[in-house]
Every structure is written in structure tokens, then in C-alpha cells.
Amino acid sequence: MAIRPILTAPDPRLKAVSTDVEAVDSAIRALVDDMADSMYAAEGIGLAAVQIGVARRVIVIDLDQKDGKKNPIAYINPKILWVSEEMATFEEGCLSVPEIWDDVERPARCKVEYLDRDGVKKVLEADGLLATCIQHEMDHLNGVLFIDHLSRLKRSMAIKKLTKAKKLEAAS
Ligand code: K2U
Ligand code: ZN
């Protein structure tokens, strides 16, 4: 169990298209545990493996964090089977896009098939914040950040702000 550094944009590694996990073994379970530790340390509610530099199709989400309770759910090789025509808008942020928040419209509900941390196939119908978070994380597995859904002007302003912050961080 380890807290690993979270990549921040701009970083070409965040643009990778992550590859499927061949077998849900102890190494993948250790990756899931590290992802959960890293997510909690950053006070996030979701994390994709690519955000800690591992381009494999693994997501961890925990929307149940209250009173110190932790219930991290692993989604391995997740596939979206269906999305609703109905759309919903949430103000999104991202641990890899620090201090930038903006509204993103996505399908309000989705159905996702995945393997759990024991390799058991599951199917989940999600709505609300879970549906948004799953789609946000699925974007990460395809090398897409939430700012890629914004207008060209807003995205370029975000990249400019993030680039400036990285240069200041490197100089300090
Ligand atoms: O990829 C991520 O960083 C996951 C997001 C979860 C999320 C994003 C958009 C919509 C729903 C969920 C973070 O874990 S939670 C947002 C956040 C961003 C920066 C700092 C703290 C929390
Ligand atoms: Zn994100």
C-alpha cells in the first residue's frame, strides 16, 4: 500500500490510451490499493491508473467517504454498455488538472460492465455523480481530460494556467 504521485497536465503520459488488464492477480490488487491510497491522500473521489503513470484500464471510485469510512470500488477493464439520451451537467474537477473547475455535460445515466478486484464480472447501472465520475474516469483510460470537453478558448486558458503553475513549481 503506497501513496504515489499524481501526474498533472500538461503531461503526455495522461494522453495514453490505457491497455486492458490480462489477469486480475495480486499485482493488479496491489495497484488498486495504491490507487485508493493515492486518491484518499489527494482528497479525491475517483482515480484512473494512468493518473499515477500506469496505463492500464483500472479505475477506483469511492463516493461513500464520510466520517472516515472508506469503500473503494475497483473497476477493471470497464466497458460502457449503454448511455442515456438524457444529459446532465456537473461542475467537474480533476486531480490531474489542479484548481480548474468547469461544467461538463454528459449522459445522465450509464450501464458499465467491469471486473471487480477478485476478477468477477459485474454490471452496474449508474446515475447522478457516479455516472459522471465513471464517464470522467473512462475518459482518462482513453487519454481524454475533462478540459478537452470545454470550448477551445477555455481549454487553451486552462493549459496556459497549468503550464505556468508547472514552471513556477519547477523554479521553486
Ligand atoms: O480524475 C479525477 O481526478 C477524479 C475526480 C472525480 C470526479 C471528477 C469529476 C466528476 C466527478 C468526480 C476527483 O477525484 S474528485 C474532484 C477533485 C478534483 C481536485 C481535487 C479534489 C477533488
Ligand atoms: Zn480526472
Side-chain angles (χ1 to χ4, degrees):
M1 307 264 272
I3 296 172
R4 295 164 66 168
I6 293 175
L7 303 180
T8 54
D11 187 319
R13 291 172 289 179
L14 289 169
K15 291 185 180 292
V17 176
S18 298
T19 55
D20 268 354
V21 165
E22 290 79 28
V24 181
D25 56 17
S26 57
I28 293 298
R29 279 184 283 275
L31 170 63
V32 165
D33 293 343
D34 284 358
M35 289 172 65
D37 289 347
S38 306
M39 178 183 74
Y40 293 129
E43 297 181 356
I45 57 175
L47 193 74
V50 69
Q51 292 179 269
I52 58 169
V54 179
R56 308 305 294 277
R57 300 187 82 80
V58 183
I59 293 169
V60 169
I61 294 175
D62 184 351
L63 302 187
D64 294 334
Q65 303 171 55
K66 43 182 171 293
D67 309 327
K69 200 162 60 84
K70 293 179 177 175
N71 181 30
I73 306 293
Y75 300 80
I76 300 165
N77 297 342
K79 295 178 180 60
I80 291 185
L81 303 177
W82 169 87
V83 295
S84 63
E85 287 187 17
E86 181 197 357
M87 304 295 278
T89 300
F90 275 84
E91 186 182 43
E92 298 195 13
C94 179
L95 297 171
S96 294
V97 184
E99 297 178 28
I100 291 175
W101 302 83
D102 212 322
D103 286 348
V104 177
E105 188 182 40
R106 299 181 189 269
R109 290 171 288 122
C110 64
K111 188 172 184 180
V112 59
E113 176 189 277
Y114 63 96
L115 301 177
D116 69 10
R117 63 177 291 128
D118 298 316
V120 175
K121 185 181 281 190
K122 298 281 182 72
V123 177
L124 169 77
E125 288 208 16
D127 61 4
L129 180 57
L130 182 56
T132 290
C133 190
I134 287 169
Q135 294 174 82
H136 176 110
E137 302 308 337
M138 289 293 292
D139 268 355
H140 275 299
L141 301 186
N142 296 319
V144 174
L145 299 174
F146 83 92
I147 55 173
D148 297 327
H149 294 286
L150 304 181
S151 69
R152 189 176 300 183
L153 175 62
K154 280 189 171 181
R155 184 181 179 283
S156 62
M157 288 170 66
I159 294 293
K160 192 173 180 181
K161 179 182 176 184
L162 293 161
T163 303
K164 185 177 179 183
K166 275 202 163 182
K167 283 178 181 169
L168 288 172
E169 185 185 355
S172 63

mmCIF file of all heavy atoms in Angstrom, residues 61-98:
data_model
loop_
_atom_site.group_PDB
_atom_site.id
_atom_site.type_symbol
_atom_site.label_atom_id
_atom_site.label_comp_id
_atom_site.label_asym_id
_atom_site.label_seq_id
_atom_site.Cartn_x
_atom_site.Cartn_y
_atom_site.Cartn_z
ATOM 1 N N ILE A 61 -13.126 4.200 -7.489
ATOM 2 C CA ILE A 61 -14.081 5.256 -7.135
ATOM 3 C C ILE A 61 -14.589 4.988 -5.717
ATOM 4 O O ILE A 61 -14.831 3.842 -5.349
ATOM 5 C CB ILE A 61 -15.272 5.282 -8.118
ATOM 6 C CG1 ILE A 61 -14.813 5.684 -9.527
ATOM 7 C CG2 ILE A 61 -16.367 6.247 -7.623
ATOM 8 C CD1 ILE A 61 -15.893 5.636 -10.593
ATOM 9 N N ASP A 62 -14.701 6.058 -4.924
ATOM 10 C CA ASP A 62 -15.308 5.937 -3.599
ATOM 11 C C ASP A 62 -16.166 7.175 -3.341
ATOM 12 O O ASP A 62 -15.652 8.242 -3.023
ATOM 13 C CB ASP A 62 -14.241 5.798 -2.506
ATOM 14 C CG ASP A 62 -14.861 5.560 -1.122
ATOM 15 O OD1 ASP A 62 -16.096 5.673 -1.002
ATOM 16 O OD2 ASP A 62 -14.096 5.273 -0.174
ATOM 17 N N LEU A 63 -17.471 7.004 -3.492
ATOM 18 C CA LEU A 63 -18.394 8.114 -3.224
ATOM 19 C C LEU A 63 -18.951 8.033 -1.805
ATOM 20 O O LEU A 63 -19.763 8.865 -1.411
ATOM 21 C CB LEU A 63 -19.556 8.094 -4.237
ATOM 22 C CG LEU A 63 -19.203 8.179 -5.722
ATOM 23 C CD1 LEU A 63 -20.470 8.327 -6.559
ATOM 24 C CD2 LEU A 63 -18.254 9.314 -6.015
ATOM 25 N N ASP A 64 -18.517 7.014 -1.040
ATOM 26 C CA ASP A 64 -19.101 6.798 0.293
ATOM 27 C C ASP A 64 -18.259 7.369 1.425
ATOM 28 O O ASP A 64 -18.451 7.006 2.575
ATOM 29 C CB ASP A 64 -19.270 5.280 0.550
ATOM 30 C CG ASP A 64 -20.287 4.674 -0.398
ATOM 31 O OD1 ASP A 64 -21.166 5.434 -0.854
ATOM 32 O OD2 ASP A 64 -20.187 3.475 -0.698
ATOM 33 N N GLN A 65 -17.302 8.217 1.100
ATOM 34 C CA GLN A 65 -16.378 8.679 2.144
ATOM 35 C C GLN A 65 -17.090 9.655 3.090
ATOM 36 O O GLN A 65 -17.379 10.762 2.711
ATOM 37 C CB GLN A 65 -15.184 9.401 1.503
ATOM 38 C CG GLN A 65 -14.404 8.564 0.501
ATOM 39 C CD GLN A 65 -13.407 9.417 -0.238
ATOM 40 O OE1 GLN A 65 -12.579 10.092 0.368
ATOM 41 N NE2 GLN A 65 -13.474 9.411 -1.562
ATOM 42 N N LYS A 66 -17.426 9.209 4.259
ATOM 43 C CA LYS A 66 -17.899 10.153 5.289
ATOM 44 C C LYS A 66 -17.561 9.541 6.648
ATOM 45 O O LYS A 66 -17.513 8.318 6.797
ATOM 46 C CB LYS A 66 -19.404 10.458 5.177
ATOM 47 C CG LYS A 66 -20.313 9.290 4.904
ATOM 48 C CD LYS A 66 -21.748 9.769 4.775
ATOM 49 C CE LYS A 66 -22.678 8.667 4.289
ATOM 50 N NZ LYS A 66 -22.396 8.255 2.901
ATOM 51 N N ASP A 67 -17.285 10.446 7.607
ATOM 52 C CA ASP A 67 -16.912 10.004 8.968
ATOM 53 C C ASP A 67 -15.751 9.008 8.918
ATOM 54 O O ASP A 67 -15.739 8.008 9.633
ATOM 55 C CB ASP A 67 -18.131 9.333 9.660
ATOM 56 C CG ASP A 67 -19.369 10.210 9.580
ATOM 57 O OD1 ASP A 67 -19.193 11.447 9.612
ATOM 58 O OD2 ASP A 67 -20.484 9.669 9.419
ATOM 59 N N GLY A 68 -14.811 9.272 7.954
ATOM 60 C CA GLY A 68 -13.612 8.424 7.931
ATOM 61 C C GLY A 68 -13.827 7.065 7.312
ATOM 62 O O GLY A 68 -12.890 6.275 7.171
ATOM 63 N N LYS A 69 -15.093 6.772 6.897
ATOM 64 C CA LYS A 69 -15.385 5.468 6.274
ATOM 65 C C LYS A 69 -14.787 5.437 4.874
ATOM 66 O O LYS A 69 -14.769 6.453 4.186
ATOM 67 C CB LYS A 69 -16.914 5.296 6.205
ATOM 68 C CG LYS A 69 -17.396 3.869 6.035
ATOM 69 C CD LYS A 69 -18.870 3.723 6.409
ATOM 70 C CE LYS A 69 -19.768 4.591 5.567
ATOM 71 N NZ LYS A 69 -20.114 3.959 4.272
ATOM 72 N N LYS A 70 -14.229 4.303 4.480
ATOM 73 C CA LYS A 70 -13.695 4.141 3.120
ATOM 74 C C LYS A 70 -14.321 2.915 2.485
ATOM 75 O O LYS A 70 -14.396 1.855 3.108
ATOM 76 C CB LYS A 70 -12.168 4.003 3.164
ATOM 77 C CG LYS A 70 -11.468 5.288 3.617
ATOM 78 C CD LYS A 70 -9.977 5.121 3.687
ATOM 79 C CE LYS A 70 -9.300 6.440 4.072
ATOM 80 N NZ LYS A 70 -7.832 6.267 4.260
ATOM 81 N N ASN A 71 -14.770 3.071 1.231
ATOM 82 C CA ASN A 71 -15.358 1.943 0.499
ATOM 83 C C ASN A 71 -14.946 2.031 -0.968
ATOM 84 O O ASN A 71 -15.751 2.308 -1.849
ATOM 85 C CB ASN A 71 -16.892 1.963 0.621
ATOM 86 C CG ASN A 71 -17.532 0.803 -0.114
ATOM 87 O OD1 ASN A 71 -16.943 -0.272 -0.236
ATOM 88 N ND2 ASN A 71 -18.719 1.030 -0.654
ATOM 89 N N PRO A 72 -13.614 1.837 -1.230
ATOM 90 C CA PRO A 72 -13.127 1.974 -2.612
ATOM 91 C C PRO A 72 -13.621 0.827 -3.486
ATOM 92 O O PRO A 72 -13.547 -0.342 -3.104
ATOM 93 C CB PRO A 72 -11.605 1.928 -2.438
ATOM 94 C CG PRO A 72 -11.396 1.124 -1.190
ATOM 95 C CD PRO A 72 -12.564 1.411 -0.292
ATOM 96 N N ILE A 73 -14.180 1.179 -4.639
ATOM 97 C CA ILE A 73 -14.641 0.159 -5.586
ATOM 98 C C ILE A 73 -13.699 0.181 -6.794
ATOM 99 O O ILE A 73 -13.440 1.252 -7.363
ATOM 100 C CB ILE A 73 -16.084 0.433 -6.070
ATOM 101 C CG1 ILE A 73 -17.020 0.577 -4.869
ATOM 102 C CG2 ILE A 73 -16.535 -0.680 -7.032
ATOM 103 C CD1 ILE A 73 -17.243 -0.658 -4.058
ATOM 104 N N ALA A 74 -13.196 -1.008 -7.161
ATOM 105 C CA ALA A 74 -12.308 -1.119 -8.325
ATOM 106 C C ALA A 74 -13.126 -1.520 -9.555
ATOM 107 O O ALA A 74 -14.002 -2.386 -9.484
ATOM 108 C CB ALA A 74 -11.225 -2.160 -8.063
ATOM 109 N N TYR A 75 -12.849 -0.833 -10.666
ATOM 110 C CA TYR A 75 -13.484 -1.157 -11.952
ATOM 111 C C TYR A 75 -12.337 -1.516 -12.895
ATOM 112 O O TYR A 75 -11.582 -0.633 -13.310
ATOM 113 C CB TYR A 75 -14.244 0.045 -12.497
ATOM 114 C CG TYR A 75 -15.362 0.558 -11.594
ATOM 115 C CD1 TYR A 75 -15.089 1.364 -10.498
ATOM 116 C CD2 TYR A 75 -16.683 0.240 -11.861
ATOM 117 C CE1 TYR A 75 -16.106 1.837 -9.672
ATOM 118 C CE2 TYR A 75 -17.722 0.713 -11.043
ATOM 119 C CZ TYR A 75 -17.409 1.514 -9.953
ATOM 120 O OH TYR A 75 -18.425 1.995 -9.138
ATOM 121 N N ILE A 76 -12.214 -2.810 -13.207
ATOM 122 C CA ILE A 76 -11.110 -3.296 -14.041
ATOM 123 C C ILE A 76 -11.649 -3.661 -15.421
ATOM 124 O O ILE A 76 -12.695 -4.290 -15.534
ATOM 125 C CB ILE A 76 -10.424 -4.504 -13.361
ATOM 126 C CG1 ILE A 76 -9.878 -4.077 -11.986
ATOM 127 C CG2 ILE A 76 -9.313 -5.086 -14.233
ATOM 128 C CD1 ILE A 76 -9.509 -5.233 -11.079
ATOM 129 N N ASN A 77 -10.943 -3.187 -16.458
ATOM 130 C CA ASN A 77 -11.399 -3.367 -17.854
ATOM 131 C C ASN A 77 -12.849 -2.946 -18.018
ATOM 132 O O ASN A 77 -13.669 -3.689 -18.585
ATOM 133 C CB ASN A 77 -11.199 -4.821 -18.315
ATOM 134 C CG ASN A 77 -9.757 -5.250 -18.336
ATOM 135 O OD1 ASN A 77 -8.852 -4.402 -18.333
ATOM 136 N ND2 ASN A 77 -9.513 -6.546 -18.364
ATOM 137 N N PRO A 78 -13.188 -1.721 -17.536
ATOM 138 C CA PRO A 78 -14.587 -1.284 -17.616
ATOM 139 C C PRO A 78 -15.006 -1.017 -19.064
ATOM 140 O O PRO A 78 -14.222 -0.504 -19.858
ATOM 141 C CB PRO A 78 -14.609 -0.005 -16.800
ATOM 142 C CG PRO A 78 -13.212 0.522 -16.896
ATOM 143 C CD PRO A 78 -12.322 -0.679 -16.976
ATOM 144 N N LYS A 79 -16.236 -1.402 -19.389
ATOM 145 C CA LYS A 79 -16.805 -1.113 -20.714
ATOM 146 C C LYS A 79 -18.176 -0.486 -20.513
ATOM 147 O O LYS A 79 -19.006 -1.043 -19.779
ATOM 148 C CB LYS A 79 -16.939 -2.410 -21.543
ATOM 149 C CG LYS A 79 -15.599 -3.053 -21.886
ATOM 150 C CD LYS A 79 -15.802 -4.365 -22.678
ATOM 151 C CE LYS A 79 -14.470 -5.002 -23.029
ATOM 152 N NZ LYS A 79 -13.671 -5.337 -21.780
ATOM 153 N N ILE A 80 -18.405 0.661 -21.149
ATOM 154 C CA ILE A 80 -19.725 1.275 -21.077
ATOM 155 C C ILE A 80 -20.629 0.589 -22.106
ATOM 156 O O ILE A 80 -20.357 0.622 -23.308
ATOM 157 C CB ILE A 80 -19.657 2.796 -21.287
ATOM 158 C CG1 ILE A 80 -18.953 3.442 -20.073
ATOM 159 C CG2 ILE A 80 -21.057 3.370 -21.472
ATOM 160 C CD1 ILE A 80 -18.907 4.946 -20.072
ATOM 161 N N LEU A 81 -21.691 -0.042 -21.612
ATOM 162 C CA LEU A 81 -22.600 -0.813 -22.482
ATOM 163 C C LEU A 81 -23.713 0.057 -23.051
ATOM 164 O O LEU A 81 -24.255 -0.238 -24.121
ATOM 165 C CB LEU A 81 -23.234 -1.964 -21.693
ATOM 166 C CG LEU A 81 -22.282 -2.966 -21.035
ATOM 167 C CD1 LEU A 81 -23.084 -3.993 -20.230
ATOM 168 C CD2 LEU A 81 -21.396 -3.642 -22.064
ATOM 169 N N TRP A 82 -24.050 1.129 -22.302
ATOM 170 C CA TRP A 82 -25.205 1.953 -22.695
ATOM 171 C C TRP A 82 -25.117 3.290 -21.978
ATOM 172 O O TRP A 82 -24.626 3.376 -20.866
ATOM 173 C CB TRP A 82 -26.496 1.223 -22.254
ATOM 174 C CG TRP A 82 -27.752 2.018 -22.341
ATOM 175 C CD1 TRP A 82 -28.570 2.170 -23.413
ATOM 176 C CD2 TRP A 82 -28.342 2.824 -21.293
ATOM 177 N NE1 TRP A 82 -29.627 3.002 -23.112
ATOM 178 C CE2 TRP A 82 -29.512 3.413 -21.824
ATOM 179 C CE3 TRP A 82 -27.978 3.117 -19.972
ATOM 180 C CZ2 TRP A 82 -30.332 4.252 -21.072
ATOM 181 C CZ3 TRP A 82 -28.789 3.958 -19.219
ATOM 182 C CH2 TRP A 82 -29.963 4.503 -19.771
ATOM 183 N N VAL A 83 -25.550 4.345 -22.673
ATOM 184 C CA VAL A 83 -25.692 5.650 -22.026
ATOM 185 C C VAL A 83 -27.079 6.184 -22.361
ATOM 186 O O VAL A 83 -27.649 5.884 -23.411
ATOM 187 C CB VAL A 83 -24.620 6.671 -22.473
ATOM 188 C CG1 VAL A 83 -23.216 6.240 -22.030
ATOM 189 C CG2 VAL A 83 -24.653 6.913 -23.981
ATOM 190 N N SER A 84 -27.622 7.003 -21.429
ATOM 191 C CA SER A 84 -28.971 7.552 -21.659
ATOM 192 C C SER A 84 -28.910 8.691 -22.670
ATOM 193 O O SER A 84 -27.865 9.327 -22.862
ATOM 194 C CB SER A 84 -29.521 8.091 -20.330
ATOM 195 O OG SER A 84 -28.706 9.157 -19.856
ATOM 196 N N GLU A 85 -30.055 8.926 -23.316
ATOM 197 C CA GLU A 85 -30.147 10.123 -24.173
ATOM 198 C C GLU A 85 -30.214 11.371 -23.305
ATOM 199 O O GLU A 85 -29.698 12.423 -23.656
ATOM 200 C CB GLU A 85 -31.388 10.021 -25.075
ATOM 201 C CG GLU A 85 -31.230 9.006 -26.205
ATOM 202 C CD GLU A 85 -32.401 9.043 -27.182
ATOM 203 O OE1 GLU A 85 -33.153 10.042 -27.183
ATOM 204 O OE2 GLU A 85 -32.570 8.056 -27.928
ATOM 205 N N GLU A 86 -30.848 11.198 -22.122
ATOM 206 C CA GLU A 86 -30.924 12.324 -21.177
ATOM 207 C C GLU A 86 -29.506 12.735 -20.762
ATOM 208 O O GLU A 86 -28.668 11.871 -20.507
ATOM 209 C CB GLU A 86 -31.729 11.901 -19.945
ATOM 210 C CG GLU A 86 -31.904 12.965 -18.891
ATOM 211 C CD GLU A 86 -32.343 12.352 -17.541
ATOM 212 O OE1 GLU A 86 -32.546 11.125 -17.486
ATOM 213 O OE2 GLU A 86 -32.431 13.108 -16.564
ATOM 214 N N MET A 87 -29.270 14.029 -20.722
ATOM 215 C CA MET A 87 -27.951 14.539 -20.337
ATOM 216 C C MET A 87 -28.016 15.199 -18.961
ATOM 217 O O MET A 87 -29.098 15.574 -18.492
ATOM 218 C CB MET A 87 -27.460 15.552 -21.377
ATOM 219 C CG MET A 87 -27.407 15.023 -22.810
ATOM 220 S SD MET A 87 -26.196 13.708 -23.018
ATOM 221 C CE MET A 87 -24.698 14.688 -23.218
ATOM 222 N N ALA A 88 -26.859 15.324 -18.320
ATOM 223 C CA ALA A 88 -26.773 16.012 -17.028
ATOM 224 C C ALA A 88 -25.480 16.805 -17.002
ATOM 225 O O ALA A 88 -24.479 16.399 -17.620
ATOM 226 C CB ALA A 88 -26.803 15.005 -15.884
ATOM 227 N N THR A 89 -25.517 17.925 -16.307
ATOM 228 C CA THR A 89 -24.327 18.778 -16.207
ATOM 229 C C THR A 89 -23.830 18.815 -14.763
ATOM 230 O O THR A 89 -24.616 19.021 -13.843
ATOM 231 C CB THR A 89 -24.654 20.218 -16.667
ATOM 232 O OG1 THR A 89 -25.089 20.171 -18.038
ATOM 233 C CG2 THR A 89 -23.437 21.116 -16.571
ATOM 234 N N PHE A 90 -22.549 18.562 -14.592
ATOM 235 C CA PHE A 90 -21.904 18.647 -13.275
ATOM 236 C C PHE A 90 -20.695 19.570 -13.386
ATOM 237 O O PHE A 90 -20.032 19.614 -14.437
ATOM 238 C CB PHE A 90 -21.402 17.265 -12.801
ATOM 239 C CG PHE A 90 -22.433 16.424 -12.096
ATOM 240 C CD1 PHE A 90 -23.318 15.655 -12.834
ATOM 241 C CD2 PHE A 90 -22.524 16.409 -10.706
ATOM 242 C CE1 PHE A 90 -24.276 14.856 -12.199
ATOM 243 C CE2 PHE A 90 -23.468 15.609 -10.065
ATOM 244 C CZ PHE A 90 -24.335 14.836 -10.810
ATOM 245 N N GLU A 91 -20.383 20.288 -12.292
ATOM 246 C CA GLU A 91 -19.130 21.026 -12.262
ATOM 247 C C GLU A 91 -18.021 20.019 -11.940
ATOM 248 O O GLU A 91 -18.013 19.431 -10.851
ATOM 249 C CB GLU A 91 -19.154 22.135 -11.198
ATOM 250 C CG GLU A 91 -17.894 23.004 -11.256
ATOM 251 C CD GLU A 91 -17.859 24.083 -10.180
ATOM 252 O OE1 GLU A 91 -18.205 23.763 -9.025
ATOM 253 O OE2 GLU A 91 -17.489 25.221 -10.498
ATOM 254 N N GLU A 92 -17.143 19.803 -12.888
ATOM 255 C CA GLU A 92 -16.093 18.800 -12.704
ATOM 256 C C GLU A 92 -14.742 19.429 -12.352
ATOM 257 O O GLU A 92 -14.457 20.567 -12.712
ATOM 258 C CB GLU A 92 -15.953 17.947 -13.971
ATOM 259 C CG GLU A 92 -17.206 17.162 -14.311
ATOM 260 C CD GLU A 92 -16.969 16.063 -15.339
ATOM 261 O OE1 GLU A 92 -15.794 15.737 -15.625
ATOM 262 O OE2 GLU A 92 -17.963 15.534 -15.845
ATOM 263 N N GLY A 93 -13.963 18.658 -11.623
ATOM 264 C CA GLY A 93 -12.569 18.967 -11.357
ATOM 265 C C GLY A 93 -11.790 17.685 -11.614
ATOM 266 O O GLY A 93 -12.386 16.661 -11.968
ATOM 267 N N CYS A 94 -10.494 17.730 -11.424
ATOM 268 C CA CYS A 94 -9.671 16.543 -11.684
ATOM 269 C C CYS A 94 -8.364 16.673 -10.917
ATOM 270 O O CYS A 94 -7.737 17.745 -10.900
ATOM 271 C CB CYS A 94 -9.390 16.430 -13.176
ATOM 272 S SG CYS A 94 -8.362 15.023 -13.618
ATOM 273 N N LEU A 95 -7.952 15.581 -10.309
ATOM 274 C CA LEU A 95 -6.694 15.598 -9.553
ATOM 275 C C LEU A 95 -5.492 15.841 -10.468
ATOM 276 O O LEU A 95 -4.434 16.261 -10.007
ATOM 277 C CB LEU A 95 -6.528 14.266 -8.805
ATOM 278 C CG LEU A 95 -7.601 13.986 -7.750
ATOM 279 C CD1 LEU A 95 -7.477 12.563 -7.226
ATOM 280 C CD2 LEU A 95 -7.554 14.997 -6.622
ATOM 281 N N SER A 96 -5.702 15.596 -11.768
ATOM 282 C CA SER A 96 -4.611 15.827 -12.730
ATOM 283 C C SER A 96 -4.727 17.185 -13.413
ATOM 284 O O SER A 96 -3.899 17.518 -14.279
ATOM 285 C CB SER A 96 -4.601 14.708 -13.783
ATOM 286 O OG SER A 96 -4.268 13.469 -13.179
ATOM 287 N N VAL A 97 -5.770 17.941 -13.041
ATOM 288 C CA VAL A 97 -5.969 19.287 -13.618
ATOM 289 C C VAL A 97 -6.255 20.231 -12.445
ATOM 290 O O VAL A 97 -7.386 20.707 -12.254
ATOM 291 C CB VAL A 97 -7.135 19.280 -14.628
ATOM 292 C CG1 VAL A 97 -7.294 20.642 -15.307
ATOM 293 C CG2 VAL A 97 -6.940 18.184 -15.676
ATOM 294 N N PRO A 98 -5.242 20.466 -11.613
ATOM 295 C CA PRO A 98 -5.471 21.158 -10.334
ATOM 296 C C PRO A 98 -6.014 22.574 -10.476
ATOM 297 O O PRO A 98 -5.644 23.316 -11.375
ATOM 298 C CB PRO A 98 -4.090 21.181 -9.678
ATOM 299 C CG PRO A 98 -3.115 20.849 -10.736
ATOM 300 C CD PRO A 98 -3.824 20.079 -11.788
#
